Amino acid sequence: MTTTTTTRRKLYMELENCIGCRACLAACTQCGGHEQKNRNYVYDVNPLVNSQTMPLMCLHCVDPACARSCPAQAIQIHETGAVLSATVDKCIGCQNCTIACPYGIPKFDEEENLMYKCDLCIDRTKDDIPPMCASVCPSNTLQWLTEDEIADKKQATDVGNDKWVTSMPYLEGETHVTVNLPGVLQGTVKLF
Amino acid sequence: MQKDKFFRDIENVRHRNEELVKTHCSYCGMQCGMNLRVDKSTNKIIGVEPRYDWPVTLGKMCPKGVTAYQQTNHDDRILKPLIRDDASLKGTKEGFREASWDEAYDLIAKKFGELQEDYGKDSLSVFSGVSMTNEKCYLTGKFARVAMGTRYIDYNGRFCMSSAAGGFLRSFGVDRGSTLPWTDVHQTDCLFIAGSNTAECHPTSMFRVWAVQERGGYLIVADPRETPVARRADVHLDLRPGTDLALANGILNLLIQNGYADESFVNQHTNGFEETKELVKDFTPEYTSMITGVAVEKIERAAEIYGKAPNAIVMFARGVEQQHKGVDNVSAYTNMALVTGKIGRPKAGVATFTGQGNGQGGREHGQKSDLLPGYQKITNPEAVERVSKVWGIEPEEMPKPGVSAYEMFELMDNKTIRGLYLLCSNPAVSAPNLNFVRGALKKLDFMVCGDFFLSESAEYADVILPSVSWSEDEGTTTNLEGRIIKINKAQEPIGESKPDWLMQVELAERLGKGKHFSHLKTAKDVAEEFRLASKGGVADYYGATWDKIDEQDGVFWPCTDKEDKGTPHMFLDKQFYHPDGKAKICALPYRPPAEEPSEKYPLRLTTGRVVYHYLSGNQTRRIKFLNDMCPDPYVEVHPITAAEYDIEHDEVVLLYTLRGKANYKVKITEAIREDTVFVPYHFGDLESINLLTIAALDPISKMPEYKACAAQIDKIKVAGKVL
């Protein structure tokens, strides 16, 4: 096992691959530090129309609104860039973070009066082991890739026709997670 | 060889004071690799960790797989044998009392003995399943024939895989669910998937399916519903339920007419081409479209893509198989590969998505009414002699063939069968025409059920024997590729539960047949005997030792001796298993579903799975995460149809057929044909859609037609009041 804490890979999402199985939610509860509570979301995009779904994970903003909004400075940023869940003894349960987050990621535990959010399975990802969600995702909607692999993905799918949107540049602000929005096949050249 | 482009060398997280036990999932035929996390101080399973180095699934799991470990120490586990003295309570959960194993065994031996004395050997029956190891499946067949001495044994594969088996046997002369390993799937140029809701039923295939499209390959999906895999298909053939045979004939006709037939392959390696060519001529795109309801352009485009593809794989599942012409559908789709020669080489072939964990192995080793281990026919005297020798009986003692699963209920109903040993199955939910089947179970004089949860079927039992979950025993299963893999034990059995094979050994001793069973002390002992019993059969497992399975990440059958590494790709030498070495291209006249819509029943009802549940739901409905995601059944209705019936999303309606009725909440979606409604089948009691389904059986496979019958909806709520 490597002892370095420098992560070489990042979470990458191809939303169009999502099959709505919610294995990512089930797997989230299996991360040792998550106390059996899942921290991510899967939405039905068009519930009365088709079976399209999409996951919503913490994008681990470089300048995270949740941490900035926290009056108790309970939300720490790991050296890998992962935005951690609130430190239990600092969190005052004000829910500022949930309101501040542009994606509504932080969840709130009413009984404990504590927020909890995705910490990118920090006990795994600090050693470059994929987080549980990306480990199990059967459709490769969630992948754990190197910067080079992500650059290849971008090159393959960004066809410069202004119809293509990814989180590069950025949906809201710069994030450590790259999201590839629906349209993932539009740059594909058919074999025959 | 097995480290393909998706493989990553990843170390597992090891938590303090925990051990990881590598094994596979308990549920579907994907048999995803997983590590069970075991607490070293309590020796209990406490969680799951991905098995990144399993070559088929690389650590991926669906939500059932992730939560599968929660079955083992579940509060609902049956911990002791249960006996119910008051037979009037049959069909309920009431009246069971705890008993010792001795008392339970004694009662079973006494009752079985009395019934056989009064009504003959064949008054007893065994109904089993294939969500258990090859060793258990093998011993169950031996137990029925040697210890109980009855001809009546059959299994729930008749509701699952038997049409695929029948079709493959007819087309190839051998029934291996996939002609190639799953690591070929993403490398092909075209996937033609018929009647498989792959994304929900075999989710861990999906990264390979999407990868075909990423490479510029094509995805064609035939399904009445726009399932999550159909949603992204290049061509979605949205056919009427029960019309697959016309679609397959129509596409075959276009392949031949447009010059995609591989004449040299057809001439050298197949029979039946000319006859089939003549028959499918009638299936013009227009005629095919009229029967199937699929647009002419889509049929033409699908045929063009499949025809042009350098390599292609035809895949199918229960959608085409659970019909009263399921065997014909399988052979008809297989025709596409045989006529174009897209088979017998890497990246091209035919595969079925096996539904149950050991659907492949479980049907090969003697649980089927007419089969002995190794896929040997019980009507073949040489096979009977070989197996009798292994079992230590005289060939004359071998019982004759019995009847299929559903037909056994008919024999229970007319009192030919009076006693039943049920294990690893829940037919009170999963059989068709349930009002009849539940009635037949109630008529039994004596019923034993082995299970680890009290299923809806166990409610009809007089004695319940607590079996172990998959994680408390070891053995092998054969996954959907035909790869024999190893299930490992992660925890000691809880309570007084026992593996089914051990119960059978102990019960055989009570039945006076100990000399044929008492030497089997461990699962490994059973495995050794079973390999020998399969020797010489089509599904020869003799060379598939547990050591070899470990060393090679599984062994593909056939594997006939110690040196044989197994057979990942079938037919590479273009030799098929019919006596002349040729495959059969089958001329198959179209038949409509047994029950077509009528004025009184104008809708087409079809059934299937959701991603959160497995089979009858006896396991998955007890897992909190899964049940929270899908706690109740529902009926999917197209918005135009809903408007005609004046029903709304979430409104409860009455759905009924000639056989039964049930209330369901409406789920409005455009992702279904207007003439079709869909209900998932995982639910019990009054919620079972199988109260409504039809028991029209395929003449060869005896598969009921779950996928198509005629139904009607009645509104039961008017102005906020339930009528």
Side-chain angles (χ1 to χ4, degrees), chain B residues 50-86:
Chain B
R51 189 170 166 188
Y52 296 110
D53 60 356
W54 179 248
V56 187
T57 50
L58 305 155
K60 295 172 181 302
M61 288 179 268
C62 79
K64 296 184 292 291
V66 171
T67 54
Y69 77 93
Q70 293 169 16
Q71 297 170 86
T72 309
N73 297 302
H74 196 284
D75 287 344
D76 290 354
R77 281 288 300 271
I78 306 170
L79 301 176
K80 285 183 145 215
L82 302 174
I83 291 177
R84 179 162 55 193
D85 305 302
D86 182 355

Side-chain angles (χ1 to χ4, degrees), chain B residues 156-320:
Chain B
N156 65 8
R158 296 279 188 187
F159 302 156
C160 186
M161 303 302 306
S162 62
S163 291
F168 287 150
L169 283 171
R170 183 168 61 187
S171 296
F172 301 140
V174 62
D175 161 33
R176 205 186 79 177
S178 175
T179 65
L180 34 67
W182 235 238
T183 42
D184 275 21
V185 169
H186 62 275
Q187 301 184 58
T188 196
D189 308 312
C190 169
L191 291 174
F192 185 106
I193 300 180
S196 160
N197 178 3
T198 318
E200 296 204 66
C201 306
H202 299 84
T204 50
S205 291
M206 287 307 296
F207 68 102
R208 297 186 194 277
V209 173
W210 291 158
V212 171
Q213 286 186 311
E214 275 169 37
R215 277 181 36 251
Y218 290 86
L219 173 62
I220 301 165
V221 176
D223 199 305
R225 302 160 65 218
E226 192 192 78
T227 60
V229 66
R231 180 175 55 76
R232 235 177 82 171
D234 294 276
V235 183
H236 174 205
L237 302 164
D238 48 347
L239 78 175
R240 292 190 180 103
T243 62
D244 287 270
L245 187 49
L247 182 65
N249 280 347
I251 288 177
L252 191 71
N253 180 42
L254 284 171
L255 290 171
I256 297 170
Q257 300 303 322
N258 295 335
Y260 294 115
D262 180 339
E263 284 180 24
S264 97
F265 181 90
V266 166
N267 290 337
Q268 289 178 56
H269 305 300
T270 70
N271 292 312
F273 177 70
E274 288 304 327
E275 188 192 340
T276 307
K277 181 178 164 186
E278 275 309 302
L279 183 131
V280 299
K281 263 186 190 158
D282 291 343
F283 290 83
T284 61
E286 292 71 24
Y287 180 62
T288 306
S289 173
M290 192 188 77
I291 296 175
T292 60
V294 181
V296 167
E297 303 73 46
K298 288 188 183 180
I299 299 168
E300 288 174 339
R301 180 69 180 135
E304 185 190 2
I305 293 170
Y306 182 83
K308 277 187 182 165
N311 285 305
I313 305 175
V314 178
M315 308 175 95
F316 36 78
R318 306 306 83 69
V320 318

Side-chain angles (χ1 to χ4, degrees), chain B residues 61 111 145 163 185 189 247 368 386 402 441 504 534 572 601 684:
Chain B
M61 288 179 268
K111 292 285 187 182
R145 291 171 177 126
S163 291
V185 169
D189 308 312
L247 182 65
K368 222 172 176 175
R386 270 199 300 270
L441 288 172
Q504 290 168 7
S534 77
L572 286 179
Y601 300 95

Side-chain angles (χ1 to χ4, degrees), chain B residues 82-147:
Chain B
L82 302 174
I83 291 177
R84 179 162 55 193
D85 305 302
D86 182 355
S88 72
L89 293 170
K90 279 194 180 210
T92 74
K93 291 181 175 65
E94 309 305 318
F96 289 107
R97 64 177 170 84
E98 291 189 344
S100 68
W101 278 98
D102 275 338
E103 188 187 0
Y105 284 153
D106 285 343
L107 181 62
I108 295 166
K110 177 169 166 278
K111 292 285 187 182
F112 278 2
E114 286 170 3
L115 285 173
Q116 288 191 315
E117 192 155 312
D118 293 347
Y119 303 104
K121 282 272 177 202
D122 295 331
S123 60
L124 299 183
S125 62
V126 177
F127 191 108
S128 61
V130 289
S131 295
M132 60 184 184
T133 60
N134 286 312
E135 288 72 17
K136 288 175 181 144
C137 293
Y138 159 76
L139 202 68
T140 299
K142 178 181 172 184
F143 180 79
R145 291 171 177 126
V146 178

Side-chain angles (χ1 to χ4, degrees), chain B residues 458-658:
Chain B
E459 292 175 16
Y460 293 87
D462 300 281
V463 180
I464 298 176
L465 301 177
S467 51
V468 296
S469 74
W470 99 114
S471 56
E472 300 157 277
D473 189 25
E474 63 178 341
T476 60
T477 60
T478 308
N479 76 358
L480 80 178
E481 305 168 286
R483 186 194 304 243
I484 307 158
I485 56 175
K486 181 77 197 310
I487 303 291
N488 288 311
K489 180 175 175 175
Q491 183 186 310
E492 286 303 317
I494 68 164
E496 294 183 19
S497 62
K498 293 182 185 192
D500 301 276
W501 64 263
L502 181 57
M503 294 178 208
Q504 290 168 7
V505 169
E506 292 174 351
L507 203 45
E509 287 164 353
R510 305 289 173 124
L511 295 169
K513 300 289 183 182
K515 69 171 175 171
H516 307 287
F517 290 85
S518 296
H519 60 286
L520 303 168
K521 309 276 187 218
T522 64
K524 185 85 184 278
D525 292 341
V526 183
E528 296 300 306
E529 184 180 291
F530 145 63
R531 284 196 300 115
L532 193 63
S534 77
K535 191 174 167 59
V538 178
D540 192 330
Y541 280 43
Y542 184 66
T545 61
W546 285 8
D547 286 343
K548 196 187 284 182
I549 292 168
D550 266 347
E551 282 159 24
Q552 293 185 185
D553 283 334
V555 176
F556 290 81
W557 72 258
C559 179
T560 53
D561 61 45
K562 296 251 154 71
E563 279 67 48
D564 187 350
K565 286 183 158 34
T567 316
H569 291 90
M570 296 290 277
F571 319 132
L572 286 179
D573 56 0
K574 307 287 189 289
Q575 285 298 301
F576 296 91
Y577 281 55
H578 288 302
D580 62 359
K582 292 185 176 185
K584 183 151 176 55
I585 295 169
C586 303
L588 302 161
Y590 177 71
R591 290 175 284 145
E595 186 179 75
E596 284 276 71
S598 60
E599 206 176 310
K600 248 180 125 181
Y601 300 95
L603 297 166
R604 290 171 193 269
L605 168 64
T606 192
T607 67
R609 287 191 194 176
V610 300
V611 68
Y612 307 109
H613 291 294
Y614 178 64
L615 305 186
S616 73
N618 184 36
Q619 293 152 279
T620 49
R621 277 184 274 129
R622 298 173 200 273
I623 305 296
K624 186 175 183 303
F625 179 87
L626 302 175
N627 205 53
D628 284 353
M629 290 294 161
C630 185
D632 301 301
Y634 50 82
V635 55
E636 272 186 18
V637 184
H638 191 279
I640 290 175
T641 313
E644 278 170 22
Y645 283 87
D646 186 28
I647 54 178
E648 290 175 10
H649 187 68
D650 273 351
E651 176 176 340
V652 176
V653 296
L654 177 71
L655 182 68
Y656 59 101
T657 66
L658 269 173

Side-chain angles (χ1 to χ4, degrees), chain A residues 25-61:
Chain A
L25 303 189
C28 188
T29 66
Q30 290 302 302
C31 177
H34 288 183
E35 292 170 347
Q36 299 281 326
K37 288 186 287 200
N38 76 59
R39 288 135 195 262
N40 39 25
Y41 306 81
V42 175
Y43 290 107
D44 293 327
V45 177
N46 266 325
L48 301 180
V49 178
N50 64 22
S51 56
Q52 172 82 61
T53 49
M54 58 168 271
L56 183 58
M57 315 315 223
C58 175
L59 300 184
H60 296 276
C61 299

Side-chain angles (χ1 to χ4, degrees), chain A residues 147-161:
Chain A
E147 299 273 11
D148 286 350
E149 287 168 326
I150 292 172
D152 288 348
K153 288 275 189 187
K154 184 184 180 190
Q155 198 175 2
T157 53
D158 189 350
V159 292
N161 63 2

